[in-house]
Amino acid sequence: MRWRGERESENVEDRRDEGGGGFGSPFPGGGGLRFPSGGGARGGGIGIVGLLILLGLMFFFGVDPRVIMQGGGPGGDEANFPDIRLPQSRPDTTGFPVPRQPQGPDLQRPRSASEDDLRKFVSVVLAETEDVWSNLLPQYGQRYSDPKLVLFSGGVRSACGVGMAQMGPFYCPQDERVYIDLSFYKELKDRFNAPGDAAQAYVIAHEVGHHVQKLLGIMDQVESARQRVSERQGNAIQVRVELQADCFAGVWANKAQEAKNIFEPGDIESALNAASAIGDDRIQKQTQGYVVPDSFTHGSSAQRVRWFKRGYQTGDLRQCDTFNADDL
């Protein structure tokens, strides 16, 4: 992946010297998306397109459609993209559910050359997402605002609660920040056999995809549906949220390649390998020896690969409507 010498984002906060001690046990589940209990971002009402889609979701899951007859939606061209939003009250929703061994704090230690290099890489990838989405999102009636990316070690405090390294990277919509402990990349390479710059870039692009979902108003509308359904039905909705973020990551890769030719031969295959490595079915098979599809919250390996490929091959956000897809 061609990234050296490219612009580094100024939206990186390095909190690694804060350490992870004193935070207690990690929340159940993992990283990916985290929400404070009982609250969340407010975004106005539901457009006519969003209303129709949300009604379809609610009828599918057997929810009384009268529960959506309240609130308003964000501005923008609602006819261009589904107006669905993500729930705000489940701290166990995750994008990269990687079970890991607890690690102690690593305070005030000097950074190695490889760590500094990885920080630069993350900053460049974040800058690439800024360039793509600031140009692309206005085409769908929404201005793009840059998220912050927070580097931490062990544990970190966010507006969505305490995040631990064991949970993997996560996005907090309450403070519009992506959080990542860079040791996750070693785990991705060594444990899940998904090495390479493009695999690491995919992780960031997926989390930024959740930020795009928030800006498009997708998060709050799904909340209206998922807070009133069973855990199994809520998991099914969450799978569609995560697969859409994978598709958005593919759209980013398409536009970044088109603009700067950043990917070299084999890079996209590396990103697809990472998507496959963190599928619910593969992780469950590794950790418990069997698979429970009703408990999936992110999608199977095949589904994550399929939706990333769809975004990459089309470069069109409208092709990422996982909520109306009959076959995920």
Side-chain angles (χ1 to χ4, degrees):
M1 183 173 167
R2 304 178 183 91
W3 64 272
R4 296 188 184 279
E6 297 294 331
R7 178 180 74 87
E8 295 182 34
S9 173
E10 298 179 355
N11 292 307
V12 176
E13 299 177 10
D14 196 338
R15 301 188 197 170
R16 286 176 290 177
D17 285 338
E18 294 180 7
F23 288 149
S25 301
F27 287 110
L33 278 163
R34 293 188 53 81
F35 300 95
S37 298
R42 295 291 182 262
I46 301 174
I48 185 64
V49 175
L51 181 62
L52 293 175
I53 295 171
L54 189 53
L55 280 170
L57 270 175
M58 296 183 118
F59 279 121
F60 179 77
F61 288 113
V63 182
D64 184 352
R66 290 175 295 178
V67 300
I68 68 171
M69 298 306 180
Q70 55 188 347
D77 186 355
E78 295 173 343
N80 279 339
F81 195 79
D83 193 11
I84 302 285
R85 305 182 192 175
L86 180 70
Q88 305 265 339
S89 61
R90 292 171 60 93
D92 60 341
T93 54
T94 63
F96 295 93
V98 180
R100 305 170 63 183
Q101 295 299 317
Q103 300 175 355
D106 195 4
L107 300 179
Q108 302 296 332
R109 62 178 177 81
R111 305 298 173 201
S112 67
S114 61
E115 287 177 310
D116 287 340
D117 197 52
L118 190 54
R119 185 198 186 283
K120 291 180 181 178
F121 169 80
V122 167
S123 299
V124 169
V125 173
L126 184 63
E128 296 288 357
T129 66
E130 293 166 354
D131 292 343
V132 166
W133 290 114
S134 63
N135 289 326
L136 181 61
L137 213 54
Q139 298 176 25
Y140 297 88
Q142 178 65 51
R143 184 181 66 85
Y144 186 69
S145 60
D146 298 337
K148 301 287 187 180
L149 188 148
V150 178
L151 303 177
F152 70 95
S153 179
V156 68
R157 299 187 186 278
S158 77
C160 298
V162 175
M164 303 296 288
Q166 296 94 318
M167 300 183 299
F170 65 93
Y171 171 73
C172 174
Q174 196 73 0
D175 58 21
E176 297 189 357
R177 281 167 167 78
V178 172
Y179 293 83
I180 183 170
D181 185 321
L182 294 179
S183 65
F184 172 79
Y185 285 142
K186 186 176 188 301
E187 185 110 5
L188 190 65
K189 174 184 175 183
D190 295 345
R191 180 176 178 182
F192 292 95
N193 194 30
D197 289 345
Q200 295 174 168
Y202 156 73
V203 172
I204 298 172
H206 173 96
E207 298 304 339
V208 172
H210 287 310
H211 181 62
V212 174
Q213 287 175 315
K214 177 186 177 181
L215 296 179
L216 288 172
I218 291 170
M219 292 185 174
D220 294 337
Q221 289 185 44
V222 172
E223 178 185 12
S224 298
R226 206 178 76 170
Q227 287 184 338
R228 294 167 173 82
V229 299
S230 68
E231 181 178 359
R232 179 184 63 82
Q233 293 168 332
N235 288 343
I237 294 175
Q238 184 62 26
V239 165
R240 293 174 186 266
V241 170
E242 296 295 338
L243 293 180
Q244 186 178 67
D246 283 332
C247 189
F248 285 0
V251 170
W252 164 77
N254 173 287
K255 299 303 182 183
Q257 181 69 354
E258 183 180 88
K260 293 187 176 180
N261 193 34
I262 65 173
F263 295 114
E264 299 176 282
D267 279 345
I268 295 302
E269 289 73 14
S270 176
L272 292 171
N273 182 47
S276 176
I278 55 177
D280 283 326
D281 53 342
R282 181 173 294 189
I283 290 179
Q284 287 186 359
K285 188 69 173 179
Q286 289 178 346
T287 57
Q288 62 191 28
Y290 58 91
V291 174
V292 183
D294 282 350
S295 68
F296 286 3
T297 55
H298 309 88
S300 68
S301 293
Q303 289 170 334
R304 300 198 76 161
V305 166
R306 183 180 306 125
W307 283 96
F308 178 88
K309 287 178 68 175
R310 178 176 293 191
Y312 179 70
Q313 290 169 352
T314 66
D316 184 356
L317 288 185
R318 288 165 294 193
Q319 298 300 315
C320 296
D321 183 7
T322 57
F323 297 98
N324 281 316
D326 293 329
D327 182 13
L328 292 177

